[in-house]
Amino acid sequence: MCEKLLSIQSVAEILGVSRRSVYRYIALGELSAIDLRTGTERSRVRVSGSDVKALVERRTCTSPSPSLGR
């Protein structure tokens, strides 16, 4: 339960994508988000490190796709 929670910016840097892409992964259900907002302040969305690792594992190709080589 005490695993590391990552900011959207940190997840984007780890994956080498934009913050917008991270939000897309969340909207598509590829990543789970935790909103730590209190009251009316800005959202403080965090993603668990294990979710990021699971996304990478699901998206890892063992053999190159024909479209990747061209």
Side-chain angles (χ1 to χ4, degrees), residues 33-48:
I34 301 164
D35 191 346
L36 300 175
R37 173 183 24 215
T38 57
T40 58
E41 68 182 52
R42 271 183 22 169
S43 176
R44 293 181 188 261
V45 176
R46 297 293 183 263
V47 176
S48 73

Side-chain angles (χ1 to χ4, degrees), residues 5 8 15-16 24 28 31 33 42 57 62:
L5 296 178
I8 297 298
L15 297 177
R24 248 187 248 121
L28 292 170
L31 286 173
R42 271 183 22 169
E57 289 172 355
T62 54

Side-chain angles (χ1 to χ4, degrees), residues 5-44:
L5 296 178
L6 305 168
S7 68
I8 297 298
Q9 183 63 41
S10 295
V11 174
E13 290 171 6
I14 289 167
L15 297 177
V17 299
S18 68
R19 290 175 61 223
R20 186 174 182 168
S21 291
V22 175
Y23 281 113
R24 248 187 248 121
Y25 291 139
I26 292 168
L28 292 170
E30 296 261 0
L31 286 173
S32 298
I34 301 164
D35 191 346
L36 300 175
R37 173 183 24 215
T38 57
T40 58
E41 68 182 52
R42 271 183 22 169
S43 176
R44 293 181 188 261

